[in-house]
Amino acid sequence: MASLSLPTKIFLYPNSPSIQFQSQHRPPQRLTFPRNIKIICSATEQPQPQPQQQQPKKKKKNETESEKGVDPVGFLTKHGISHKAFAIFLRERHKALKDLKDEIFNRHINLRDMASGFEILGMHRHFEHRVDYMEWAPGARYCALIGDFNGWSPTENAAREGFFGHDDFGYWFIILEDKLREGEKPDELYFQQYNYVDDYDKGDSGVSIDEIFKKSNDDYWEPGEDRFVNNRFEVPAKLYEQLFGPNGPQTLEELEEIPDPETRYKAWKEQHKNDPPSNLPPYDVIDQGKEYDIFNVVSSPEWVKKVFAKKPPLEYWLETRKGRKAWLKKYTPGIPHGSKYRVYFNTPSGPLERVPAWATYVQPDIDGKQGFAVHWEPPPESAYKWKNTPPKVPKSLRIYECHVGISGSEPKVSSFNDFTEKVLPHVKEAGYNAIQLFGVVEHKDYFTVGYRVTNFYAVSSRYGTPDDFKRLVDEAHGLGLLVFLDIVHSYSAADEMVGLSLFDGSNDCYFHTGKRGHHKYWGTRMFKYGDPDVLHFLLSNLNWWVVEYQIDGFQFHSLSSMMYTHNGFASFTGDLEEYCNQYVDRDALLYLILANEILHVLHPNIVTIAEDATFYPGLCEPTSQGGLGFDYYVNLSVSEMWSSFLENVPDHEWSMSKIVSTLMGNKQHADKMLMYAENHNQSISGGKSFAEILFGESREDSQGLKQSLLRGCSLHKMIKLITFTIGGRAYMNFMGNEFGHPERVEFPMASNKLSFQLAKRRWDLLEKGMHRDLFSFDKDLMKLDENERILSRGLPNIHHVNDTTMVISYLRGPLLFIFNFHPTDSYEQYNVGVEEAGEYQVVLNTDETKFGGQGLIKDNQYLRRTISRRVDGLRNCLEVCLPSRTAQVYKLSRILRI
């Protein structure tokens, strides 16, 4: 909560009765809330009293509690960075963020409401036998729903500008009434509700409404208490009779002078002093000398307390709700489950049709036919029910990157169910603790790999239904795997029918106008992040995937495309001026800050990862300290370095210094790095996987082929090992690379005659030869982290980097890592420094025969004892055997006291 630096109170709807707020400036406070109640809570700090004074020091008028602990340039101060222009930019950005939040709170009750648009926009079933539809289209003049449920009529279910159904912000509202079956009568109560979703088999007792109300009154009121409720004129009539008698005056002329209230009150009390006790409410008239006191009738405190102690008869009111069986008997849905539909607009440019922006299930263009949305409202008995709870976020992430469509071994588009049954067990066996899915959100063109998103709230229908995807996530959680989504909010597809481009006929609905609204090189549309309604759409989209599908985290794709008006296509030298000049899109940065703040408050266990090729300063710093608030950032330089070495640099010219400096990145943020040797980018769009580069060149003679395979296998393992163990707390591997997939990925497109030949994975290779050996090594590598917690430890102490011998050595925790990248030179007794004196045991050796190696290091060489000699600036050293192109991992097994 400390990260939410709001100029006003924060409102939350807690998901649990107890919420823990942790601030780095004060001890944790536990706030307990009752369930199912709207909660207003403040994350602000209370003013602390000065020790010399009895009273707390008064705050200045312009200082709010929420500003305590907020420093817009805090991370610059922490790292000792001095850059005046960038500091001014951060302060101005912080002020703009406060102004933006003020604007948001003028429209939304709180930030949760801002990020929960999916609760009202799109299609939603209402209790009162109807479906409500809402859409944002400020440029339209007329809105209608058309589909197979109404014969695609643009007039049957519509709303017009100037009439109920359209507000000042451009939101359209249409009600689709359920249809009364022939012979059935409308409900007696106009507000009749139905248990359509929950407890759908209850509420059909057959008891009439009159019987329920009678039972409620009988149980709620004591004898006589409801007398004046049922006969509301009895009290004034009796009062009149008491004042004037049964034959009292009927006109003002007949009315004599009325005694004062006190006299009348005393006379009435005297008259009724001997009355027996009664359950009727006792009332008294209180006169304090004012003219209106004659009407000031109050009850006794005892009776008021008794009335307020009564609980409303809600259980009887709930009995008036009917169950789904009664609904099915009486009504047919206004829009049945599975109906195809689109939204129809009348605009200044003429009529047009669109797939709704908030649609949750979409069929894009198929066989030349226009796309449409599918109303997804399965019967409660067949809707997916979650079985497993998400696992806790581990201290280190071993992420398995996947694409569902290419996950099968056959040349076709694989489904969610195929992935669930075949790939998830493999991921679990391989030792990873998270999967990251890309290409899941709906996109029209399969060959775009899923990055040109058309429908942001829909899972791709080519893989299955929304319930199929829920099952995938649920089964992954059951296996202990987190599920991350590669989310693309940095741009959008330029399609109009199924996308958001020109959605309401105008050019400035979701995107910028003119050149700024188009990506310079990719032909995609650029969001208008400064528009509150666009923010509402995007922030709600993030929350939607967590609430609806229980997603555990997001990797934000290609942030450089959105953070700069040049879309990241510029030369960067690292000067901070490049991150605060006129080419920086401040609105995009504010969106990212809001996204991280809201996600981490609403879902404390969420993980956010930034993919930014420009390494924007403060990516993973707290938003309260001027950062963007991400948990991890991707070090994109690593895979590019390995690709460059493998393809362009001879083995004996590899620079050990460059390898180490690239892998370590910025030491100040190294623990926040997500590292990978290669991801899907290396093998898609004409590229090659590392295995294809290493094993693709065949030799004419068998000896040459053997040497080529040995080289490729050795380098493949060493690259994986050093990338995994030298960096931060997160590592990622693309599906198939763990066993050296020998082929690139190529999606079906016109250039390959729509072939699926390379849009699949060769799982059969796991059963034999080199690929089986590489997989064995990768499993042992994951197991090493599971047992020794390598990634979650502090950064390594890199004490030996020799470009001549091509040897790298470093310590991380109790483990010593040694690499010999030299293509020909082996070392029988190579000295590397260690701090602790003792015995070191080999726990992982890339040259073992079970990993496809030669087994040059014998079993009696696996245990080494230190020598008391200062090497590499450390007190002791080890003499180890280092065959060429091998690496060993040693663990201190016994400490020697000298």
Side-chain angles (χ1 to χ4, degrees), residues 393-438:
V393 177
K395 293 183 178 180
S396 64
L397 292 175
R398 303 186 298 274
I399 304 172
Y400 194 83
E401 187 185 35
C402 317
H403 187 283
V404 172
I406 65 171
S407 64
S409 56
E410 299 178 14
K412 66 173 186 178
V413 178
S414 292
S415 68
F416 288 133
N417 290 333
D418 294 334
F419 185 92
T420 301
E421 294 166 7
K422 298 176 183 178
V423 180
L424 285 182
H426 169 78
V427 179
K428 179 65 176 178
E429 180 193 356
Y432 292 84
N433 56 19
I435 61 172
Q436 180 169 299
L437 300 167
F438 67 98

